[in-house]
Amino acid sequence: MTLTNRQLKILQIIVDEYAYTAQPISSKEIIEKYMPDISSATIRNEMAYLEKIKLLEKTHTSSGRIPSTDGYKYYEANILQPKLSLNIKKRLQKIFVQRDVSIDSIIDQSVSIINESLQLPSVVTTSQSGELLKRFDLIQIDKHTALILLVTSSGAVNKNTIKLNDEYQLDDLGVCVRIFNDRLIDTSIKDVPSKLKSIKEIIRSAVHEYEFCIRQIIEKIFNFNEVSSNTSVHGTKWLTSQPEFRNITKLNEVLSMLEDTNVWKHIAYNQQKTGKTLITFGSEFGVNDLVVASTMIDSPQGKHQLSIVGPTRMNYGEVKGLLDFIKVEVENLSKENK
C-alpha cells in the first residue's frame, strides 16, 4: 500500500510518540507538537483512514490511536531510519578500542550498555566455527512426541521436539538418527549443509514418509549453518520497567520465550537469508505485544547472534542503530586482529 507524505508523517509521529509515552496519541497532540498548520478535522480524517487500513488502532479508554502490528511492520519497512545518540556511541567506542580482550568480552560489555541505555533485555547466541557434531540421540516422550538431541564437541546439547502422527513416523525418526550418526559424526558444523545433499538421497530410499523427514527432522535440526553452543540472556530485570510486561502472566510468557532455543534458531535461520539486522514480531512464535531485533556478527571465533527484546512500541530507530553500529565495529575489529 502507498501512503501520502502526510499520512507517512502522522504514522511516524504516532509510532515515535507512543514509544516514549506508552499512551495513545490524539489529534490534538499531533497538531500542538508537530503540525500546527493542519486543521484538527484533517488530522482526524487521516488518522481514521490509517485505522481503516489497519495501521492504527483505537483503544477503548481513549480517543487517541496507537500503532497496530501491521502499522509497526509498515513503519519498519518504509519509514524507519537507524539512529544512535552521541553519548552511547562514545561509550561503545571506548570498548572497541581495546586490543587485549576477546570478541566475546567486547560483545558482553556492549550488551551491558544496551541493557542500561534501552532498559531492555538482550540475548547473545554464540557458535564456534570449529564445532563438531559428536552424537545424535532419539528419546520417545509418548506416542505423539519424540525428542532428538544433537551433541557437539563443546558439550552443547541442541534439543528438537518432533510431533508424530503415526508409528511409521517414529520408525522414520529412528532411521534418520542412525543415518546421522553414521554419516555426520565428527563433521564440522560448517560442512553439514554440503553433506546433507547426499544424506537426503539416502533417507529418501530408507523411510516411509520422506517429506515428513525433510520438513520435521532435517530442516528443523539443521535449520541454520551453525548449531548454537551457548545462548545467554542478559538484563531480564529490565522487563518490569516496561508497562506491557508488568502483568505476571505476560512476564512469565516472555521469560519462557527467552529460554526457548527454538526461537533463536528460527530467527537465526531467517537472518541468514538477509544478512541484515532483522525485526521479528512475537506473533511469529506465539507471543503478542513483543518484538525481537537481532543482528548476526561474524568473527574468526564463530558467529554471535545479538538480539534485543522489547515491547512492540520499542524505539526501532535507536535499537537498529545500536545493532548496526555494534555489528560493523566488531566485524572490523575482528579483521584487524586476524
Side-chain angles (χ1 to χ4, degrees):
M1 77 185 69
T2 302
L3 301 182
T4 66
N5 289 337
R6 187 162 61 202
Q7 290 163 353
L8 284 169
K9 182 64 176 176
I10 291 172
L11 178 61
Q12 179 179 4
I13 289 169
I14 292 175
V15 170
D16 292 344
E17 278 287 310
Y18 188 57
Y20 285 107
T21 67
Q23 298 295 322
I25 313 303
S26 68
S27 58
K28 181 180 178 181
E29 291 176 80
I30 294 174
I31 292 168
E32 290 178 348
K33 290 185 178 181
Y34 301 98
M35 294 182 165
D37 298 330
I38 308 297
S39 72
S40 58
T42 298
I43 298 297
R44 286 196 299 272
N45 287 339
E46 296 286 36
M47 291 173 71
Y49 174 75
L50 292 171
E51 183 181 358
K52 181 180 178 180
I53 61 175
K54 302 188 183 304
L55 297 185
L56 295 180
E57 295 175 346
K58 189 172 183 179
T59 67
H60 297 295
T61 58
S62 167
S63 60
R65 293 343 191 261
I66 64 173
S68 66
T69 298
D70 285 343
Y72 282 116
K73 290 179 179 179
Y74 190 93
Y75 173 90
E76 190 264 329
N78 300 281
I79 302 174
L80 173 62
Q81 293 293 326
K83 55 187 176 183
L84 184 62
S85 73
L86 183 60
N87 177 53
I88 295 177
K89 185 176 181 178
K90 287 181 177 179
R91 292 179 65 190
L92 288 169
Q93 285 174 329
K94 289 181 180 179
I95 297 172
F96 300 138
V97 297
Q98 300 175 93
R99 292 294 183 267
D100 56 347
V101 298
S102 68
I103 296 297
D104 286 339
S105 177
I106 285 174
I107 290 176
D108 284 344
Q109 292 177 58
S110 300
V111 163
S112 295
I113 292 177
I114 288 175
N115 296 152
E116 180 188 338
S117 60
L118 298 181
Q119 297 192 355
L120 294 173
S122 54
V123 179
V124 179
T125 302
T126 60
S127 55
Q128 303 300 318
S129 56
E131 194 94 2
L132 304 178
L133 301 182
K134 298 304 291 185
R135 191 175 78 250
F136 293 85
D137 287 328
L138 173 63
I139 300 173
Q140 184 177 2
I141 306 300
D142 55 46
K143 66 178 182 179
H144 297 299
T145 313
L147 191 67
I148 294 182
L149 305 180
L150 187 162
V151 183
T152 70
S153 54
S154 69
V157 179
N158 194 40
K159 302 177 183 179
N160 294 274
T161 302
I162 309 294
K163 296 297 182 181
L164 306 170
N165 294 321
D166 55 58
E167 61 186 61
Y168 295 112
Q169 291 181 346
L170 181 62
D171 292 340
D172 286 348
L173 272 180
V175 170
C176 289
V177 167
R178 286 195 295 274
I179 292 173
F180 295 156
N181 278 316
D182 289 342
R183 302 279 177 163
L184 291 178
I185 297 307
D186 290 329
T187 296
S188 173
I189 292 172
K190 64 182 176 61
D191 295 330
V192 168
S194 61
K195 284 199 171 187
L196 283 179
K197 294 179 181 178
S198 60
I199 286 177
K200 286 179 181 178
E201 293 308 309
I202 296 171
I203 289 175
R204 183 190 295 275
S205 61
V207 299
H208 300 89
E209 298 182 33
Y210 175 71
E211 291 302 324
F212 165 78
C213 293
I214 297 300
R215 186 179 65 257
Q216 291 295 330
I217 304 174
I218 291 183
E219 290 183 0
K220 196 167 186 179
I221 294 175
F222 307 108
N223 66 354
F224 64 114
N225 291 337
E226 303 272 356
V227 173
S228 302
S229 59
N230 182 52
T231 297
S232 55
V233 182
H234 305 258
T236 54
K237 68 178 182 180
W238 295 112
L239 282 173
T240 53
S241 69
Q242 306 299 326
E244 292 88 343
F245 304 144
R246 287 174 188 160
N247 175 282
I248 189 64
T249 301
K250 189 66 177 182
L251 179 62
N252 286 335
E253 185 181 19
V254 175
L255 289 172
S256 177
M257 183 279 295
L258 289 172
E259 297 176 357
D260 187 348
T261 56
N262 286 326
V263 168
W264 309 112
K265 286 167 54 183
H266 169 78
I267 292 173
Y269 176 65
N270 289 334
Q271 189 143 42
Q272 292 203 24
K273 296 177 183 177
T274 67
K276 300 177 181 178
T277 296
L278 182 70
I279 304 294
T280 305
F281 290 86
S283 54
E284 289 193 26
F285 34 83
V287 183
N288 294 323
D289 304 318
L290 182 91
V291 69
V292 178
S294 57
T295 195
M296 189 70 76
I297 301 170
D298 290 309
S299 77
Q301 291 75 40
K303 293 183 181 292
H304 309 260
Q305 180 181 311
L306 174 56
S307 303
I308 299 172
V309 181
T312 50
R313 62 171 186 86
M314 70 160 55
N315 188 323
Y316 291 83
E318 189 174 8
V319 168
K320 192 172 189 300
L322 263 172
L323 291 176
D324 287 349
F325 181 72
I326 292 172
K327 174 180 172 64
V328 169
E329 292 297 316
V330 173
E331 290 184 348
N332 285 341
L333 184 60
S334 297
K335 292 174 184 175
E336 293 174 12
N337 294 339
K338 276 188 176 180

